[in-house]
Amino acid sequence: MKSVWKNPWFLIGFIFIAGLLIASFVYSGVTDNHVPKYRWIYDADGKIIGGSPQPPSWKTPLGTDKQGYDMFAKAIIGAKYTILAAISVAALRILVAVPIGMVMGVYFKKGKRYVNGFIDSFHFIPFTILAYYLLHPILWMPEGGFQTGMFERIALEVVILALLTVPVISVLISNEAGRIIEQEYVLASRTLGAGKLRLIFKHVFPALREKVFVLFGQQMMQTLIVFAHLGLLKLFLGGTKVSYDPFFGDPPQTISYEWSGLIGDTYKLLEWIPWVPLTPIVCFALTMIAVSFMIEGYVQATTGHSHYFKKRKRKRPEAVPVSKELAEPEELQLYRKSS
């Protein structure tokens, strides 16, 4: 097994995500989350020749929104909230579900069938809708304003999104653990007197290590998708700022410029100024592609096989028909001729 840090797929994905996070923290630290505003376009003589929204250019690589705010700055500021929240949700799911799943697979093999039948029903529950109803009282700003801080709301959202999928992941891990303890080398260890706890630490967990990393990456991508869905439903990470002015009220807005909020704020502008909603959509897509690269690189480095690119089986060459005479031994052919 070669180091994952030498695998190009893993490095590409890691550098992209780490670079986004570093750029987000540096930009926020230097500018104090200030978003440049380019309301008007001037020519060389100082005359106004255009206004916002502006399409992508050298000055504004991702264009500006209707108010003239730079979309590139918004995406950079919101990167740290979106990516770190997705990592936190995936990590919490794994930390809670993996121990539960291994204990279920080793200690409760007889009752696992009934648990699996009950948990399978969770696959048919719309996860985004369930998350929306649980998170709406936390993230939707009441008329009197929020009574909690932004980071407290983010922490509550991370915990709720993580716990919602713990039963499903636990059953998945328990099934894998149950399959591992039926292997011959594990049965031999049990015959020699190894206890169940030793089987978990010496056999089950080492065998699941690669799959746990793959599962972590998949959960991170699934969390990003849920963030995007909640953004379309106007429920933004960290809270949705709502104006209750009956005459001049603004539409719901994101507080932290995280990507799901940028989608929810602008997806209706897709036909008019497409670069505005496409900016957070592309950010989501590139981040998920980077996570896929990391999964592919890790699997290649640890197992020597590919996770996404399955090798095609080569067709065996067809057997050449051989005559009866050539198939017989030479001594038998001479005997036939002499007789």
Side-chain angles (χ1 to χ4, degrees), residues 192-264:
L192 294 174
K196 292 183 178 181
L197 193 61
R198 181 177 178 81
L199 293 179
I200 291 176
F201 286 103
K202 294 296 183 180
H203 298 290
V204 176
F205 181 73
L208 287 175
R209 191 177 302 157
E210 287 79 14
K211 295 183 179 180
V212 167
F213 183 85
V214 174
L215 186 62
F216 171 81
Q218 292 173 345
Q219 292 304 309
M220 183 177 172
M221 289 190 288
Q222 195 253 7
T223 303
L224 291 172
I225 294 173
V226 172
F227 284 163
H229 290 171
L230 291 176
L232 294 175
L233 296 173
K234 301 293 184 180
L235 208 59
F236 307 146
L237 178 66
T240 303
K241 184 179 179 181
V242 183
S243 175
Y244 289 93
D245 190 333
F247 301 104
F248 303 101
D250 295 324
Q253 298 177 354
T254 177
I255 297 175
S256 59
Y257 297 122
E258 47 82 29
W259 295 342
S260 66
L262 297 182
I263 291 178

Side-chain angles (χ1 to χ4, degrees), residues 127-234:
F127 182 75
T128 301
I129 300 300
L130 181 60
Y132 176 84
Y133 282 106
L134 292 175
L135 293 172
H136 189 273
I138 300 172
L139 301 180
W140 190 264
M141 189 181 79
E143 192 167 356
F146 285 115
Q147 302 300 319
T148 56
M150 185 183 70
F151 289 102
E152 184 178 351
R153 295 191 295 273
I154 292 177
L156 289 173
E157 182 175 0
V158 166
V159 172
I160 291 174
L161 290 179
L163 295 180
L164 281 177
T165 58
V166 164
V168 177
I169 302 175
S170 298
V171 168
L172 177 64
I173 296 296
S174 69
N175 293 335
E176 288 293 327
R179 184 185 61 81
I180 292 170
I181 63 173
E182 297 298 329
Q183 299 295 319
E184 293 183 359
Y185 69 93
V186 181
L187 294 176
S189 181
R190 293 176 61 183
T191 303
L192 294 174
K196 292 183 178 181
L197 193 61
R198 181 177 178 81
L199 293 179
I200 291 176
F201 286 103
K202 294 296 183 180
H203 298 290
V204 176
F205 181 73
L208 287 175
R209 191 177 302 157
E210 287 79 14
K211 295 183 179 180
V212 167
F213 183 85
V214 174
L215 186 62
F216 171 81
Q218 292 173 345
Q219 292 304 309
M220 183 177 172
M221 289 190 288
Q222 195 253 7
T223 303
L224 291 172
I225 294 173
V226 172
F227 284 163
H229 290 171
L230 291 176
L232 294 175
L233 296 173
K234 301 293 184 180

Side-chain angles (χ1 to χ4, degrees), residues 9 13 217 221 287-297 307-308:
W9 293 103
M221 289 190 288
T287 303
M288 287 188 279
I289 292 174
V291 175
S292 300
F293 281 2
M294 293 180 66
I295 293 174
E296 175 66 23
H307 181 71
Y308 292 106

